[in-house]
Amino acid sequence: PGGRFAVDVIKELSEVIPDSAWIREFRLSGDGVTLTGQADAASELIPLIEASPLFENVKFNTTIRKDRDGKEVFRIGLNITRSP
């Protein structure tokens, strides 16, 4: 959909994801997004992202694991809604 669309997606994610989590990798392909990152409590991210009218089908793509600092490492997949 273009660069402006990608900026809108990143802006929305930055508003719904708490400061206790950060994204290391963001991939946008068509209407699919993959987020890889770390959080204090990764399981809390799914309902926060789902609450946005811009996103749907939010799920973990891999098992959550802990890094050596005790943060939870996650990979989340989601789709961008066609009519937010």
Side-chain angles (χ1 to χ4, degrees), residues 15-74:
E15 291 176 1
V16 299
I17 293 175
D19 292 341
S20 61
W22 59 94
I23 305 301
R24 268 191 359 234
E25 184 177 337
F26 169 86
R27 289 186 182 209
L28 175 63
S29 178
D31 67 348
V33 175
T34 302
L35 306 171
T36 304
Q38 296 164 298
D40 290 339
S43 61
E44 295 176 359
L45 298 176
I46 298 290
L48 294 174
I49 297 169
E50 283 180 329
S52 168
L54 189 59
F55 307 122
E56 63 186 2
N57 302 324
V58 183
K59 64 184 181 309
F60 287 108
N61 289 347
T62 60
T63 304
I64 298 170
R65 63 177 176 82
K66 292 222 180 209
D67 66 11
R68 62 182 159 175
D69 296 324
K71 297 286 186 184
E72 294 182 350
V73 178
F74 62 86

